[in-house]
Amino acid sequence: CNACINFDAQLRELMTRGLRVIGLASRKLTAEEVPDTFEGVSLSDCNFPVSGFDLLGFFAIEDPPRDGVMEAVLKCKDAGVKVVMVTGDHPTTARAIAKRVSILPQPKQAAAELDFQVLQGCDLDSHLPHWRL
């Protein structure tokens, strides 16, 4: 649908600017669907319907990196330290923020961006050193 394509394009544009984006949607619940207390933290354990919503739009906020982050990244790189970023952001948002603080190169140096990886939490353990004490 044309509206869906437009929403997708707007969402991607907001994320490529490094903004945190929250989708706003609505759905009327019948009396039988309304629990005494809303519970659940994921799609699999909610005690209320989580489908059939109408997308209303997006709410985007900027959460800029703290002062001094870019300078610290550059100092680490100059010292030969490989800098990584751990975040819960969407990969597109994370990429934009990583470029802003010089973890990833700017577009003219795009070949180095091939190192950019998105790891899920369950995959992180295989990339961490195993220490013996």
Side-chain angles (χ1 to χ4, degrees), residues 5 9 18 21 37 62 82 111 123 131:
I5 292 169
V21 183
T37 304
E62 183 172 14
K82 181 176 180 176
D123 299 327
W131 301 95

Side-chain angles (χ1 to χ4, degrees), residues 16-131:
T16 57
R17 290 176 29 207
L19 299 175
R20 306 253 164 84
V21 183
I22 298 171
L24 303 172
S26 71
R27 179 185 191 276
K28 290 187 178 185
L29 299 177
T30 65
E32 296 80 33
E33 294 174 319
V34 177
D36 291 333
T37 304
F38 286 91
E39 297 176 357
V41 295
S42 68
L43 293 176
S44 63
D45 70 351
C46 289
N47 68 342
F48 53 90
V50 292
S51 62
F53 286 83
D54 293 318
L55 182 61
L56 302 174
F58 301 114
F59 177 78
I61 60 168
E62 183 172 14
D63 184 12
R66 292 183 181 172
D67 290 339
V69 170
M70 185 177 0
E71 293 79 8
V73 167
L74 294 173
K75 283 182 183 179
C76 289
K77 284 183 165 186
D78 287 344
V81 175
K82 181 176 180 176
V83 179
V84 299
M85 180 172 76
V86 178
T87 180
D89 288 330
H90 185 279
T92 304
T93 302
R95 180 179 279 112
I97 293 169
K99 286 179 182 179
R100 187 180 303 166
V101 298
S102 297
I103 292 173
L104 281 178
Q106 294 302 319
K108 61 186 174 204
Q109 306 160 318
E113 191 174 335
L114 296 176
D115 277 347
F116 183 79
Q117 294 182 44
V118 175
L119 300 175
Q120 301 296 321
C122 58
D123 299 327
L124 189 59
D125 287 341
S126 65
H127 292 274
L128 296 174
H130 297 282
W131 301 95

